[in-house]
Amino acid sequence: MHRMAVGETAEREDLLAAAVVEAVERTGAYAGSVFLRSRDRRSIVLAATCGVPPSLLGGWRLISVSSPIPVATAYRTGRTVHLANAEETMRRHPQLAVAVPYAFGSCSVPVGAGGETFGSLATVWAASPGSEGLSKAQRRHLRSVANRLGDSLAALRDRTGDPVECEQGTAPVEIPTPSGAAVRVGLFQWDLVTGIFTVDDELCAIFGLDPRAFDGRAETLTSCLHPGDLAAFRAWAREAKDGRTTSRRLRLRDHQYGSEGYRTVELWGRVPDADDTRAGTPLVGAVVDARAGHTALAAVERLREGVFSLAPGGRVTYANHSALRLLGASGDELLGQFLWDVLPWLSDPDVEHRHRFAMISQEPSSFLACRPPDRWLSFSLHPEADGVTGRIVPVRRPPPESTRPASSAAAAPATAPARLGVMYHVLQLGSALTEAVTAREVCEVVSDQLLPAFGGQQLAIYVVRDGTMHRLFHTGHHEDFLDWLEGVPLHARLPGTETLTSGAPLFIESQKELSRGYPGIPMGQVSSWAYLPLIASSRPVGTCVLGFDEIHQFTERDRGVLTALAGLIAQALERARLYDSEFALARGLQQALLPHRLPVVPGIRSVVRYLPGTRGMDIGGDWYDVIPTDSGVCLVIGDVEGHSIAAAATMAQLRSAVRAFAAVGLMPGEVMTGVNRTLIDLGTGLLASCCCIHLDPQGHHAYAVTAGHPPPLLRRPDGTTDVLDLEVGPMLGVERASAYPGTRITLPPGSVLALYTDGLVEEPGTDIDVGIDRLRASLAHARADSLDELADRLLHNARGSSYRADDIALLLTEFRSPRPGGHRADLGVDGHDDAAAGRRAAR
């Protein structure tokens, strides 16, 4: 395991900090963040942030790679995710919009180099409704920043061995948003032998001198002081010569207040000690001008209304005397704390919401609150990227009921409100479980969400079957995690069963605690456990167990959230198990309707891949076929619209019709005409697309007909790949008199034809031509060591996707010179052309 040295850590932190600051500045954002992949690659971890802290945006320091959160999507897909405003966020990432319901835009881009992705970079800005977000130039700049960061991280890895990953518990680098300085500091060095002052430009600016004209004389500087402070200056110099660090407040002439106007500055300095290696005659020091800060502070303290300041995260950084009086608190109680944590009458969740709204939307916000027993106060919040200025004024009369906050002193909750991160975990898991339909998917969702959220390393789900416990799912590096629970009866006195029979979750924080409660139980290498009972409709479903390699302290928040999530998991798992049994029946029917093997034809070789859709019980109408004829062979691919038993039945009938027409020697155009009439005669009301290509292996050419189907692709021996420009006929089932013209194509030996259904190239919100061209590029550049490998490469992204709205069929055919003496067709298989095997491999 590689552990970074201090210098390597500092270098990486500098790279991250510089990138996130540049990203914020180039996009005009108020916040930015960089996430790096975790060691197990299941999560991305917050590594650096600038501006508004992540706690305001949900508190996400650890995000599952499979999460639909934009930074995870950018990391997972390698694409830019640009959300111009709240409306677009709600449309494309509803889980994020529900958890953070404020007006903001965001842009997330991947960070990587050499085809490897290390993490993602994101910026966030205030966005009014209808705003267009970042310009194309700003998005290019952001991508450029991310690419440079990726190159730098890769170079650091090559030089030091840093794996470019982030530990789950690593504190992120935090850079505050740049803001105007209230304090100015000028530096100087005074040579006590020559009397020469060497000063920087800032000191000249404080003294009102032109740095180019300054003559280096002490008299020039002291002439700017109040005459009454010259003695104090000389006393300061004597003390500094003795090696003491000393300071004096001196009055400095300020022409902004007229010819006799002065302001106060502070003078610091010392001569290094004699045993210091830097020792010598120069006196070094600084002039501190806090005029803006002192002036502003004095002005604010004179106000009779309350004024306070909050850091971007919400902690109090300042409150004037009037604010402390109105709030009924001292500065020691408030400074560095959250108002809603310190003052029970402000612990209404709406107060925290108002602050978060102001910071994220960068819009003023206001609310009313009642300080016990009956004093009403009006609060207004005015945000900037570096924090919030708050104003408090008393309201003489109680406001109408319609304007009062959700709670008053009597109704104020006894404890602080739940943070947004808690809401996110419930919303995110609930949303993800809604989309998970199989038991396996439910288990994977639970693993993807719970382990990153709570920092666990092991997860096991056991279900009850025939009164005993059986492991349904396990993830983690300890293969023997909870092996002892397998086959245990439900009534056994063990933590995995007792939590289920009692209905109460069990949190065990150490091995000592486990052995005390359950002597002799195997512990393995796990130090802490959370046993969650999965109960649906008052019926025990199973137990979900989280394991932690290190001792884990379960806070009240952890216990409450995990208990709430257990109910969601149980309901989803019960529903999924019922789905699995019905799904197996439906898919069995669909498989029975498709060819079980492809014929071996001299001169050509075909492979097929079939991926069923991942959502919904209904089966699709995609089909494929390879039909030997007296004059060659017909390649067929088709798709009946919809997902239902009716679509599958219609698909079977059309496939039979195509085989019948082709077997009697009809050419593709005639086949399509006959199939079209057959579909209309069936009266199903469904439409279908189809592509039929008749190959002549001896003649090196083919005739292709398409009925509203995506065009085939042809890869030539030299790798050039084209989308075939065919005459397109209408879809099947539209009109009885439809005609289907054919197109002659040339097939050089070594070329590959690709027929596919639209599920492979369609993507929501994208024109299908874009998907077709993407497939064409993939076919052109993929290695073609074998036809099977080529098919697998083309389906790589689709197979890895957790969401496929449509079935996918892919039929690849390689045209080659026939072997002498070969037979016309042989229904045997060589092991590679077996369609059923291809379908199994594709899954």
Side-chain angles (χ1 to χ4, degrees):
M1 182 189 307
H2 174 82
R3 294 195 178 277
M4 295 179 66
V6 174
E8 297 169 17
T9 302
E11 185 174 356
R12 188 170 82 177
E13 289 180 350
D14 290 345
L15 293 174
L16 298 175
V20 73
V21 169
E22 183 180 1
V24 169
E25 292 176 346
R26 282 184 173 258
T27 59
Y30 62 71
S33 56
V34 178
F35 287 79
L36 294 181
R37 60 193 182 185
S38 63
R39 181 180 302 164
D40 59 13
R41 304 296 190 265
R42 294 189 304 193
S43 311
I44 52 175
V45 184
L46 183 64
T49 178
C50 175
V52 173
S55 59
L56 288 185
L57 298 172
W60 299 306
R61 294 182 182 271
L62 196 67
I63 298 177
S64 168
V65 166
S66 62
S67 171
I69 297 300
V71 288
T73 302
Y75 170 79
R76 188 174 62 251
T77 64
R79 299 179 184 175
T80 299
V81 181
H82 178 243
L83 304 174
N85 49 51
E87 292 80 7
E88 188 173 3
T89 303
M90 175 60 77
R91 185 174 68 253
R92 295 175 55 190
H93 292 269
Q95 296 93 337
L96 176 63
V98 170
V100 193
Y102 309 109
F104 68 93
S106 66
C107 188
S108 303
V109 296
V111 173
E116 183 179 6
T117 305
F118 304 137
S120 54
L121 169 66
T123 59
V124 179
W125 60 88
S128 57
S131 63
E132 297 182 357
L134 301 184
S135 66
K136 289 184 178 179
Q138 287 175 313
R139 277 177 270 170
R140 284 196 300 270
H141 284 316
L142 187 61
R143 193 78 187 232
S144 176
V145 171
N147 290 339
R148 290 200 305 274
L149 175 60
D151 291 340
S152 299
L153 292 174
L156 179 64
R157 178 186 59 183
D158 294 342
R159 191 175 72 253
T160 66
D162 170 23
V164 194
E165 60 189 24
C166 203
E167 298 281 356
Q168 294 184 3
T170 303
V173 180
E174 296 193 43
I175 305 99
T177 302
S179 58
V183 177
R184 302 169 67 188
V185 179
L187 304 177
F188 66 88
Q189 179 175 289
W190 186 9
D191 191 317
L192 300 177
V193 176
T194 64
I196 298 298
F197 264 90
T198 303
V199 302
D200 66 1
D201 290 351
E202 191 68 18
L203 189 140
C204 288
I206 293 173
F207 276 75
L209 302 173
D210 183 351
R212 293 169 297 181
F214 178 57
D215 56 11
R217 298 171 58 244
E219 291 78 5
T220 303
L221 294 176
T222 57
S223 67
C224 299
L225 299 178
H226 189 285
D229 287 346
L230 291 177
F233 173 79
R234 289 191 292 268
W236 165 85
R238 286 193 298 271
E239 293 175 359
K241 290 177 184 179
D242 294 336
R244 287 179 287 170
T245 301
T246 183
S247 66
R248 282 288 190 281
R249 285 192 175 184
L250 304 173
R251 287 167 290 178
L252 187 66
R253 183 179 294 112
D254 192 332
H255 296 291
Q256 291 184 3
Y257 301 105
S259 60
E260 299 301 322
Y262 290 88
R263 72 179 187 276
T264 299
V265 298
E266 194 149 354
L267 188 62
W268 293 74
R270 69 185 288 268
V271 173
D273 297 333
D275 58 352
D276 193 316
T277 57
R278 298 167 298 168
T281 53
L283 187 156
V284 295
V287 175
V288 181
D289 180 10
R291 171 182 52 175
H294 289 310
T295 303
L297 180 62
V300 171
E301 289 294 342
R302 287 192 289 267
L303 293 175
R304 301 191 64 179
E305 61 190 41
V307 176
F308 61 91
S309 176
L310 304 180
R315 295 186 185 274
V316 179
T317 57
Y318 169 76
N320 70 352
H321 290 302
S322 296
L324 296 175
R325 176 176 51 80
L326 291 170
L327 294 173
S330 68
D332 291 340
E333 291 176 300
L334 284 185
L335 291 180
Q337 305 298 320
F338 297 103
L339 287 174
W340 43 87
D341 283 350
V342 175
L343 304 173
W345 52 278
L346 285 180
S347 62
D348 188 320
D350 184 62
V351 175
E352 187 177 358
H353 162 76
R354 297 287 181 173
H355 167 257
R356 184 174 285 107
F357 167 84
M359 280 302 302
I360 297 177
S361 302
Q362 289 292 290
E363 293 288 341
S365 177
S366 61
F367 60 92
L368 297 170
C370 181
R371 174 186 164 190
D374 57 2
R375 189 171 191 185
W376 286 90
L377 301 175
S378 173
F379 291 75
S380 57
L381 306 178
H382 303 271
E384 284 292 341
D386 58 347
V388 169
T389 296
R391 177 173 173 267
I392 312 172
V393 294
V395 179
R396 294 189 176 183
R397 295 181 180 180
E401 290 294 331
S402 61
T403 64
R404 295 186 184 189
S407 66
S408 62
T415 59
R419 296 290 176 261
L420 197 59
V422 177
M423 296 167 52
Y424 165 74
H425 292 312
V426 176
L427 289 168
Q428 179 63 22
L429 182 61
S431 174
L433 288 176
T434 300
E435 298 178 359
V437 292
T438 68
R440 179 72 185 185
E441 288 176 346
V442 168
C443 293
E444 289 175 347
V445 164
V446 173
S447 171
D448 289 343
Q449 297 299 323
L450 290 195
L451 290 181
F454 296 92
Q457 290 76 41
Q458 314 292 320
L459 184 139
I461 295 179
Y462 278 80
V463 294
V464 179
R465 192 163 58 241
D466 299 328
T468 58
M469 305 294 288
H470 296 276
R471 190 163 78 177
L472 178 66
F473 178 84
H474 168 257
T475 184
H477 49 275
H478 300 322
E479 292 297 331
D480 57 349
F481 180 61
L482 297 183
D483 277 356
W484 49 266
L485 194 54
E486 180 68 30
V488 168
L490 190 57
H491 57 75
R493 188 185 178 277
L494 292 168
T497 53
E498 284 195 337
T499 188
L500 189 53
T501 54
S502 68
L506 181 62
F507 300 97
I508 302 174
E509 296 183 343
S510 67
Q511 292 188 351
K512 183 177 180 181
E513 183 180 343
L514 178 65
S515 62
R516 186 168 58 245
Y518 301 91
I521 191 172
M523 297 183 188
Q525 304 175 54
V526 179
S527 299
S528 298
W529 300 261
Y531 288 86
L532 308 178
L534 305 180
I535 300 174
S537 303
S538 301
R539 193 176 70 82
V541 175
T543 301
C544 176
V545 189
L546 274 72
F548 300 81
D549 289 350
E550 305 294 334
I551 291 179
H552 183 85
Q553 302 292 329
F554 295 98
T555 65
E556 288 300 318
R557 169 193 173 280
D558 290 342
R559 296 168 185 253
V561 174
L562 286 170
T563 301
L565 296 180
L568 296 177
I569 298 168
Q571 294 289 343
L573 189 58
E574 183 71 353
R575 183 192 69 241
R577 292 173 68 189
L578 176 62
Y579 172 92
D580 282 345
S581 60
E582 297 179 357
F583 180 83
L585 181 62
R587 286 302 181 202
L589 172 62
Q590 185 179 41
Q591 296 296 330
L593 298 176
L594 292 170
H596 286 266
R597 56 179 57 192
L598 300 180
V600 175
V601 179
I604 70 168
R605 182 166 176 271
S606 296
V607 298
V608 68
R609 295 291 184 267
Y610 189 91
L611 289 178
T614 60
R615 293 297 182 267
M617 180 69 67
D618 294 332
I619 56 180
D622 293 24
W623 92 91
Y624 53 85
D625 217 338
V626 177
I627 309 169
T629 69
D630 290 334
S631 57
V633 63
C634 279
L635 307 177
V636 183
I637 198 158
D639 185 3
V640 178
E641 66 174 345
H643 291 79
S644 64
I645 295 295
T650 302
M651 174 267 284
Q653 291 170 303
L654 294 186
R655 177 179 170 240
S656 297
V658 171
R659 290 188 69 87
F661 289 124
V664 298
L666 297 183
M667 294 303 288
E670 298 171 304
V671 171
M672 287 297 100
T673 299
V675 174
N676 177 56
R677 292 173 181 171
T678 300
L679 179 56
I680 293 174
D681 291 342
L682 289 173
T684 62
L686 297 175
L687 301 179
S689 68
C690 186
C691 180
C692 180
I693 299 180
H694 181 270
L695 298 175
D696 178 5
Q698 303 297 330
H700 301 267
H701 65 272
Y703 286 93
V705 170
T706 179
H709 199 81
L713 306 179
L714 177 62
R715 169 171 165 157
R716 294 178 177 81
D718 61 359
T720 59
T721 305
D722 294 318
V723 179
L724 293 182
D725 185 14
L726 307 182
E727 293 191 63
V728 181
M731 291 187 70
L732 303 174
V734 175
E735 186 176 349
R736 191 177 188 84
S738 296
Y740 298 92
T743 304
R744 187 178 188 275
I745 56 178
T746 301
L747 298 174
S751 57
V752 176
L753 267 175
L755 281 68
Y756 53 92
T757 54
D758 55 10
L760 183 57
V761 293
E762 278 190 328
E763 187 174 320
T766 305
D767 190 271
I768 192 172
D769 289 340
V770 175
I772 293 173
D773 189 63
R774 187 179 298 131
L775 179 63
R776 180 202 62 77
S778 298
L779 180 59
H781 296 101
R783 291 178 56 188
D785 295 338
S786 73
L787 209 56
D788 287 278
E789 286 187 17
L790 184 58
D792 290 337
R793 289 180 184 276
L794 294 181
L795 285 181
H796 175 75
N797 290 336
R799 187 186 303 156
S801 173
S802 61
Y803 179 81
R804 291 191 299 273
D806 200 358
D807 293 6
I808 295 173
L810 172 67
L811 177 62
L812 295 183
T813 301
E814 182 181 18
F815 186 87
R816 54 193 180 188
S817 299
R819 293 186 298 271
H823 298 288
R824 178 185 58 82
D826 180 359
L827 294 184
V829 294
D830 62 3
H832 297 288
D833 297 327
D834 181 42
R839 291 194 298 272
R840 288 194 296 272
R843 291 180 196 169

